[in-house]
Amino acid sequence: MEKKRNAFKAYLEFNVLYKILIGLIVGAIVGVILASAGVTSLPAWISMFGTIFTRLLKMIIIPMIVGSLVVGASSVSPANVGKIGVRVVIIYLLTSACGVIIGLVMANIFRPHAALAAVEALAAGAAGKTGSTDVWSVISNIIPTSVLTSLVNETVLQVIFFALVFGLCLSFLKVSKNERIAAAASTTYQIFDCLTEVMMMVVRGIMQYAPIGVAVLICEVFAKNGAKVAGALVMVVVACFIGYAIHIVVVYGGLLKIYRIKIGPFFKEARTPFITAFVTRSSNGTLPTTMTAAENLGIDKEVYAFSLPLGATINMDGTAIYQGVCAFFLVMSCFGRGLTIGEMGMITLLATLASIGTAGVPGAGAIMLAMVMQGIGMPIAEGTILAGAYAMILGIDALLDMGRTALNVTGDLTCTACIAKRMKFLTKDSVLAK
Ligand code: ASP
């Protein structure tokens, strides 16, 4: 009994990151062995451990968004809210748009596609059904008609919108001259602050379970795809990962250079959230780690408490790159042609919006890919060849998701560091100030 307790204590005390990495490697190796032995799926009771992990991450998403965004938005002083908020949103949108463009360029260079021409008749059927391309309703839908319905249906964009409005108003009321209102606002702030702290604690608990969940999930991917991961899908992975790398070097490297931030010390701190995001595939799950990195970089809490939770939910550069590459893959595989300029423009717009609406949990980007395809008039309808090609992407989504989440989180930290430096929201000894 005593021994068991000690082993458990040792497990808890062992560095979470290493534990998750070990889980990842063990899961991948077992998956490859299973695939080579012809075992393509895991028994349901083992699979359940992976499902538990994804469900736990999904469980935290809404309370985490509400708590962290309300606290973040109300932590910014009314005098700075406009300046910080507008800058953060603009830089997030611009970097995401760059992401889609890089993704589309990569796709045009690598031209990833599977030869699915044999089922052309079905393809024609899918192409015939045009979906709506009404970007305007996508935008107006951001405003909820019922906050409770948005919370219950987990409509992420609407929840973000309301949490921000609520938090911003709270920041004004906190400094109201009317004592009664100021006191009530402070109490409300404390309640949301407590909610956020509780959620952070839940996340830390989930991270202790993550090695097991990650091992099972990755094992399933490798067992299912084994040798099949080769060929067309390898090209998708290569195009995405080269896109991710280019984005880090060109966009983030460029931003850091423009804002005169030393790359070495920055990436020394950014490394931990990067790896955590890579293995957990969740921007929201990585949030406590990203916040610690921002703190270590000497960024003022007023900026990062607002920009990081917002970034974890709306800034998804990796997801944007992935959308560009995969949309190309789907069209090329199913219709034997690349994308037209018009389609590329539409994808850039839709994928930027989709990356905003993507929740920071594993696999969310893949769901948004379906929305982008719908937007360009190629809905992924059941039984069509598009659905088949989409299923292929889903098969390797875990791999793609690792890279894109790592990029998403690095983007949040990079943009936050740049804004903080620009607006001089840095501590005296901040490494960014040097
Ligand atoms: N997993 C990603 C994230 O948490 C979202 C996505 O699936 O693209 O940032």
Side-chain angles (χ1 to χ4, degrees), residues 387-399:
Y390 179 67
M392 287 174 75
I393 295 281
L394 287 186
I396 52 159
D397 190 61
L399 289 178

Side-chain angles (χ1 to χ4, degrees), residues 281-283 316 319 358-365 401 404-405 408:
R281 295 161 49 208
S282 170
S283 296
M316 307 262 172
T319 305
T358 307
V361 290
D401 198 6
R404 64 181 192 250
T405 311
N408 292 345

Side-chain angles (χ1 to χ4, degrees), residues 374-397:
Q374 170 94 17
I376 58 166
M378 299 178 189
I380 298 175
E382 227 181 279
T384 60
I385 187 172
L386 253 178
Y390 179 67
M392 287 174 75
I393 295 281
L394 287 186
I396 52 159
D397 190 61

Side-chain angles (χ1 to χ4, degrees), residues 152-203:
V152 172
N153 293 340
E154 301 185 355
T155 320
V156 177
L157 271 183
Q158 297 182 351
V159 175
I160 294 175
F161 180 83
F162 184 73
L164 282 179
V165 171
F166 189 94
L168 291 176
C169 292
L170 198 57
S171 86
F172 281 89
L173 295 186
K174 260 175 31 189
V175 292
S176 165
K177 287 202 180 81
N178 181 324
E179 268 177 32
R180 180 189 61 82
I181 295 178
S186 293
T187 311
T188 311
Y189 172 82
Q190 280 163 7
I191 293 172
F192 279 96
D193 197 20
C194 179
L195 169 70
T196 312
E197 287 303 328
V198 171
M199 291 322 295
M200 296 278 192
M201 196 169 169
V202 174
V203 171

